[in-house]
Amino acid sequence: MSNSMQQVMIIEPGGVDKLAYESVSIPTPKQDEVLVKVYAFGINRPDILQRQGLYPMPKGVTPVPGLEVSGVVAAVGSAVSQFKVGDQVCGLTNGGGYAEYCVVPESQTLTIPEGVSFVQAAAIPETFFTVWANVFQMGKAKAGETLLVHGGTSGIGTTALMLAKALGLKTFATVGSDEKVQAIADLTTAINYKTQNFEEVIQAATENAGVDVILDIVGAPYLEQNLNLLRRDGRLVYIAFLGGAKAKDVKLGQIMMKRLTITGSTMRARNSAEKAEIARGLQETVWPLLAKGECLPMIYQTFNFDQIQDAHAALDTGEHVGKVVVEVIAA
């Protein structure tokens, strides 16, 4: 194997033209890491924000973007016990996924379920880790409850809706066009927020009972409606605030009377132990579903490795339904 590889770098904050390729040495895995020969990687919203200079990597972490990869184990660190060279895996990286090789902590690496392709597997880690942590761990969503997902056609949104359906929850989702309503009509009750008042639609559909859990990427503009919709002991979980980060008016009495929980998180701020716990939860509950062909990620578009600018542009439009994936090696 050659000692060099191609990876994508961000020249400076800006548009897709700020993404370029460079030749570097293949990384060496630390004792608790796996070196993955990358077959495919997913494009995610944090990558876009990082490219724009709005989501910097933590100190000491590679500036190369890319939070999820799939591929074949090329080498393992001295303390790695779960994987061997040749294993087909996918993993949640700590950055560096936009490359021909990437190191991934063993605790954040998972064997690809049988029957799942490298392209599908590359679309799993970032969104499935995020959904599992926020909807099912922090949001405590369980069978028989009702979940509202804002941004229902995003990679996160489609994943949340698929898992919720498979695990026995009723769901609603907000989307930005009638085409997107139709795109996920088999998965959920979707509402075009541009032409309908989602609060009124959901209250009518639930006979004013509302929902138990809300996964929100919009933020401040939806806070009042979210609080109105939540049932007693309801949970509002933020993973982004694309519409605004500061809410001027909050009905504290409503929060107290309904015993509501408002929380949120980012994956990047979680430590390795927390990510390992999420991986265990996925392995136990979600991996058996994937092995049966259920909850497979919705792939909107696939690009070649030399098309990284086009891949980012596809996500920039906001028209995608599901995940955008870059295929490094055609399997």
Side-chain angles (χ1 to χ4, degrees):
M1 147 173 119
S2 169
N3 291 325
S4 65
M5 68 171 189
Q6 291 290 305
Q7 68 181 20
V8 176
M9 60 180 290
I10 300 172
I11 301 170
E12 61 184 18
V16 298
D17 60 313
K18 303 305 180 184
L19 297 170
Y21 299 87
E22 62 179 350
S23 181
V24 297
S25 297
I26 294 173
T28 300
K30 297 177 182 176
Q31 63 176 12
D32 61 345
E33 291 179 332
V34 172
L35 177 66
V36 178
K37 181 178 177 63
V38 178
Y39 276 58
F41 59 81
I43 308 291
N44 293 282
R45 183 61 56 184
D47 303 339
I48 304 300
L49 296 174
Q50 183 182 346
R51 189 199 75 215
Q52 296 169 339
L54 303 175
Y55 197 38
M57 298 298 281
K59 186 177 181 180
V61 175
T62 175
V64 176
L67 298 172
E68 58 184 354
V69 299
S70 68
V72 174
V73 175
V76 298
S78 59
V80 170
S81 60
Q82 300 179 63
F83 303 99
K84 65 183 184 304
V85 173
D87 286 348
Q88 297 185 3
V89 299
C90 61
L92 180 75
T93 79
N94 292 331
Y98 287 17
E100 292 179 304
Y101 289 85
C102 179
V103 290
V104 185
E106 178 184 27
S107 61
Q108 295 163 214
T109 304
L110 292 158
T111 301
I112 297 175
E114 187 174 351
V116 177
S117 71
F118 284 113
V119 167
Q120 290 171 322
I124 290 173
E126 169 67 9
T127 46
F128 278 67
F129 269 69
T130 298
V131 168
W132 188 256
N134 288 281
V135 175
F136 296 98
Q137 289 185 336
M138 297 176 64
K140 298 180 171 61
K142 57 184 182 296
E145 292 191 323
T146 303
L147 167 71
L148 166 60
V149 177
H150 292 302
T153 52
S154 66
I156 294 287
T158 53
T159 298
L161 294 169
M162 287 189 297
L163 288 179
K165 183 177 181 179
L167 296 175
L169 284 89
K170 177 182 175 64
T171 62
F172 294 93
T174 59
V175 297
S177 70
D178 290 340
E179 289 77 16
K180 288 186 175 182
V181 168
Q182 292 302 314
I184 57 173
D186 292 340
L187 197 56
T188 187
T189 300
I191 304 158
N192 183 348
Y193 67 84
K194 293 181 179 178
T195 59
Q196 294 179 287
N197 182 312
F198 69 84
E199 180 187 347
E200 293 177 356
V201 172
I202 294 172
Q203 293 289 31
T206 62
E207 299 181 342
N208 293 316
V211 302
D212 299 287
V213 184
I214 299 175
L215 183 66
D216 189 20
I217 63 170
V218 177
Y222 281 3
L223 178 58
E224 182 175 356
Q225 290 172 290
N226 285 340
L227 296 182
N228 292 342
L229 278 171
L230 283 170
R231 298 172 178 170
R232 178 176 286 193
D233 295 318
R235 291 84 74 194
L236 170 58
V237 187
Y238 286 105
I239 56 171
F241 38 81
L242 301 179
K246 294 183 179 181
K248 293 182 179 179
D249 299 306
V250 182
K251 295 180 179 179
L252 298 179
Q254 192 175 34
I255 295 171
M256 294 167 62
M257 293 297 292
K258 290 187 180 181
R259 301 194 299 255
L260 303 180
T261 298
I262 301 176
T263 185
S265 72
T266 65
M267 190 58 63
R268 188 161 288 180
R270 292 178 180 270
N271 61 37
S272 57
E274 291 170 329
K275 291 176 182 177
E277 182 184 356
I278 299 168
R280 286 193 294 271
L282 289 171
Q283 186 89 56
E284 293 171 6
T285 307
V286 178
W287 248 235
L289 295 173
L290 295 171
K292 291 190 293 183
E294 299 178 24
C295 299
L296 295 174
M298 297 176 65
I299 307 298
Y300 174 69
Q301 204 166 356
T302 303
F303 294 87
N304 297 326
F305 188 41
D306 60 0
Q307 297 176 303
I308 190 64
Q309 294 186 359
D310 294 332
H312 265 237
L315 211 65
D316 281 352
T317 66
E319 296 176 359
H320 60 288
V321 176
K323 295 293 293 280
V324 172
V325 174
V326 171
E327 192 170 26
V328 181
I329 298 174

